[in-house]
């Protein structure tokens, strides 16, 4: 039971920001061919997220001890040596499990492995440009891999799924710094240059502008009705205003949760297209 607690604690902070949005995306983008695949999707995402988080948290456990003491290493749930062993053991585990699905899923797992090393051991996380680039590529691998697992053919993606992935990646790349606002104090202590630290005004303004614009654009792409578009865009504007006006650490954490909800809804929009428009689009 302790081992399960340790594994869970490595990924518990990312359930709402990563696991849920990507799972929802895969289910609607795939689309899901069998309800039993849901457990496979969640497990594959969680396993690779565990790989990333363990690799990330062994880099500077002293910083975690100051700012994130509930994490498993500073909390004493696992030793640093044990975490290092787990970090490298997860590479073959992720690759073997991914190979059981398809060579394409295996390839995505391999790419994730390389970028995790680049992000952590090669210190790409220290500057916002390399950090955001690696994070965006990694997120794309998560989405493509989980979508492949959801679909009938785990070796290729449907046209709607491909469009959804490109749009989701564009949205995520332009707004992913939303998750950095809550960590500004800790990042500043260790000299990490995230976008909210390097260009705080630009970072906040970008959230105010990008979220409503993306909401309008996605609503048009996926053919949403006027009322749904207004509700989605209004919520996005509210979240953007929060990023501009609420600047404490506690407020930033709440803003990040609200952003995660917005992003989760954005990831569900392909389902609207599939239900209301896809059949008509392919009937001509």
């Amino acid at each position: 039971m302790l081992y399960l607690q340790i594994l869970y604690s490595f990924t518990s902070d990312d359930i709402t920001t990563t696991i849920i949005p990507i799972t929802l995306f895969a289910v609607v983008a795939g689309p899901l061919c069998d309800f039993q695949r849901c457990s496979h999707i969640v497990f594959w995402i969680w396993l690779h997220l565990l790989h990333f988080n363990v690799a990330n948290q062994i880099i500077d456990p002293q910083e975690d001890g100051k700012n994130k003491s509930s994490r498993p290493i500073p909390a004493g749930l696992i030793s640093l040596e044990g975490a290092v062993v787990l970090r490298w053991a997860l590479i073959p585990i992720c690759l073997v499990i991914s190979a059981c699905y398809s060579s394409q899923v295996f390839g995505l797992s391999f790419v994730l492995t390389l970028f995790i090393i680049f992000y952590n051991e090669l210190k790409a996380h220290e500057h916002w440009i390399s950090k955001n680039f690696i994070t965006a590529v990694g997120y794309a691998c998560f989405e493509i891999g989980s979508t492949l697992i959801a679909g009938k053919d785990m070796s290729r993606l449907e046209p709607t799924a491909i469009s959804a992935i490109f749009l989701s990646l564009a949205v995520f790349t332009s707004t992913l710094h939303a998750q950095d606002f809550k960590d500004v104090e800790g990042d500043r202590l260790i000299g990490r240059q995230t976008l909210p630290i390097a260009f705080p005004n630009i970072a906040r303004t970008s959230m105010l502008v990008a979220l409503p614009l993306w909401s309008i654009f996605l609503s048009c792409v996926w053919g949403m009705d006027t009322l749904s578009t207004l509700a989605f865009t209004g919520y996005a504007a509210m979240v953007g205003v929060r990023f501009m006006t609420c600047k404490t650490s506690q407020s930033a954490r709440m803003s990040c949760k609200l952003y995660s909800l917005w992003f989760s809804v954005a990831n569900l929009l392909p389902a609207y297209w599939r239900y209301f428009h896809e059949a008509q689009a392919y009937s001509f």
Side-chain angles (χ1 to χ4, degrees), residues 50-62:
L50 175 66
H51 178 196
F52 171 79
N53 284 354
V54 175
N56 182 253
Q57 292 177 31
I58 64 175
I59 296 299
D60 195 350
Q62 291 183 342

Side-chain angles (χ1 to χ4, degrees), residues 54-203:
V54 175
N56 182 253
Q57 292 177 31
I58 64 175
I59 296 299
D60 195 350
Q62 291 183 342
E63 184 265 333
D64 281 348
K66 295 177 183 177
N67 302 292
K68 300 171 183 177
S69 57
S70 61
R71 285 184 168 180
I73 298 175
L77 295 176
I78 186 173
S79 66
L80 178 59
E81 294 76 14
V84 170
V85 172
L86 176 61
R87 182 259 182 278
W88 295 107
L90 282 167
I91 293 178
I93 293 173
C94 288
L95 292 174
V96 169
I97 289 177
S98 296
C100 294
Y101 293 108
S102 70
S103 59
Q104 287 76 15
V105 177
F106 171 84
L108 291 164
S109 182
F110 182 74
V111 171
L112 273 172
T113 297
L114 295 180
F115 277 89
I116 287 171
I117 293 173
F118 186 31
Y119 186 94
N120 294 292
E121 279 76 16
L122 298 182
K123 301 186 183 302
H125 63 274
E126 292 184 350
H127 194 277
W128 69 270
I129 295 178
S130 55
K131 179 180 185 294
N132 287 9
F133 173 74
I134 296 299
T135 303
V137 172
Y139 204 89
C141 290
F142 272 103
E143 287 195 334
I144 297 171
S146 58
T147 303
L148 284 170
I149 294 172
K152 291 181 180 179
D153 185 350
M154 287 186 278
S155 64
R156 67 179 187 88
L157 297 169
E158 293 187 356
T160 300
I162 295 173
S163 299
I165 288 170
F166 274 114
L167 286 170
S168 179
L169 179 59
V171 173
F172 183 72
T173 302
S174 60
T175 62
L176 64 88
H177 55 279
Q179 300 177 18
D180 291 327
F181 285 99
K182 67 182 188 304
D183 298 323
V184 163
E185 294 178 3
D187 289 338
R188 187 177 283 119
L189 284 175
I190 62 173
R192 181 179 293 156
Q193 286 294 306
T194 60
L195 189 60
I197 292 175
F199 304 102
N201 291 331
I202 293 176

Side-chain angles (χ1 to χ4, degrees), residues 1-43:
M1 197 67 181
L2 177 61
Y3 297 115
L4 293 177
Q5 181 184 355
I6 293 170
L7 296 178
Y8 171 78
S9 62
F10 271 114
T11 56
S12 59
D13 291 340
D14 298 299
I15 292 175
T16 58
T17 60
T18 304
I19 295 177
I20 291 177
I22 297 179
T23 299
L24 292 175
F25 177 85
V27 167
V28 301
L32 186 69
C33 68
D34 185 341
F35 185 76
Q36 293 181 345
R37 290 278 184 90
C38 285
S39 60
H40 291 264
I41 295 167
V42 172
F43 178 71

Side-chain angles (χ1 to χ4, degrees), residues 211-242:
L211 296 186
L213 288 181
W214 272 123
S215 298
I216 295 171
F217 180 75
L218 292 173
S219 298
C220 293
V221 169
W222 299 118
M224 290 177 62
D225 62 85
T226 303
L227 183 61
S228 298
T229 299
L230 289 174
F232 186 46
T233 305
Y235 178 79
M238 182 271 290
V239 177
V241 170
R242 273 193 61 93

